[in-house]
Amino acid sequence: MRKQYHVRHSERGLLAWDVDRVIRLTSEQEPIDLPLENIRELDEAFWFSGDSGPPTCRRVAEHALLINQTSLDHPIVIDPEGRVMDGMHRVCKALIRGLKTIKAVRLLAMPEPDFVGVPIDQLPYERAEQA
């Protein structure tokens, strides 16, 4: 799978967190059952905001494919305020299946971003070779 980042726009420019690092930061936590009604991103233009371009049918279909392929075996990661940092395709899959909750782990503190002010198309997307 391609390297993934969680990105947010800020006054400092684009902030990007390496999703692998975010997952490692929560790896020792016991997942909780998070009600889907508490996930604000379900009612926001999560994938289609900022500079990402319009939600064309092709782009929606690409996300539908990812939703279909994802597994609910892994918890989503939320920040200290409850915002999704990893797992929005899993959230959508749970919603489609009619589930009321999803397994989640919460960051205890917001980590510093891995990149500040780097355009999304200039982030490193190659995974390092596994030893």
Side-chain angles (χ1 to χ4, degrees), residues 33-39 42 91 93-103:
D33 287 318
L34 179 67
L36 292 181
E37 66 186 27
N38 292 359
I39 300 175
L42 281 170
V91 169
K93 186 170 205 160
L95 181 68
I96 290 167
R97 288 190 172 178
L99 301 178
K100 300 294 182 200
T101 63
I102 190 166
K103 295 291 183 188

Side-chain angles (χ1 to χ4, degrees), residues 17 25-26 29 78-80 85 106-112:
W17 288 265
L25 290 172
T26 59
Q29 292 184 20
I78 57 176
D79 74 8
M85 290 191 76
R106 182 186 301 264
L107 285 164
L108 301 176
M110 193 65 175
E112 282 298 311

Side-chain angles (χ1 to χ4, degrees), residues 20-58:
D20 292 328
R21 181 172 70 101
V22 170
I23 290 170
R24 280 193 307 275
L25 290 172
T26 59
S27 65
E28 300 297 319
Q29 292 184 20
E30 192 65 33
I32 60 165
D33 287 318
L34 179 67
L36 292 181
E37 66 186 27
N38 292 359
I39 300 175
R40 293 174 282 189
E41 290 84 352
L42 281 170
D43 297 307
E44 298 174 358
F46 187 78
W47 294 306
F48 306 109
S49 62
D51 302 329
S52 65
T56 63
C57 291
R58 181 179 308 280

Side-chain angles (χ1 to χ4, degrees), residues 62-96:
E62 289 167 351
H63 281 286
L65 179 62
L66 293 171
I67 291 166
N68 187 49
Q69 293 173 339
T70 196
S71 169
L72 295 176
D73 292 339
H74 305 286
I76 67 168
V77 178
I78 57 176
D79 74 8
E81 273 96 48
R83 305 291 290 182
V84 176
M85 290 191 76
D86 174 56
M88 201 59 203
H89 291 102
R90 282 170 272 160
V91 169
C92 290
K93 186 170 205 160
L95 181 68
I96 290 167

Side-chain angles (χ1 to χ4, degrees), residues 5-17 51 112-125:
Y5 295 95
H6 173 76
V7 296
R8 295 182 183 179
H9 295 278
S10 78
E11 292 179 3
R12 299 176 6 192
L14 189 70
L15 306 178
W17 288 265
D51 302 329
E112 282 298 311
D114 295 288
F115 299 93
V116 177
V118 177
I120 198 164
D121 61 348
Q122 293 180 20
L123 293 170
Y125 282 97

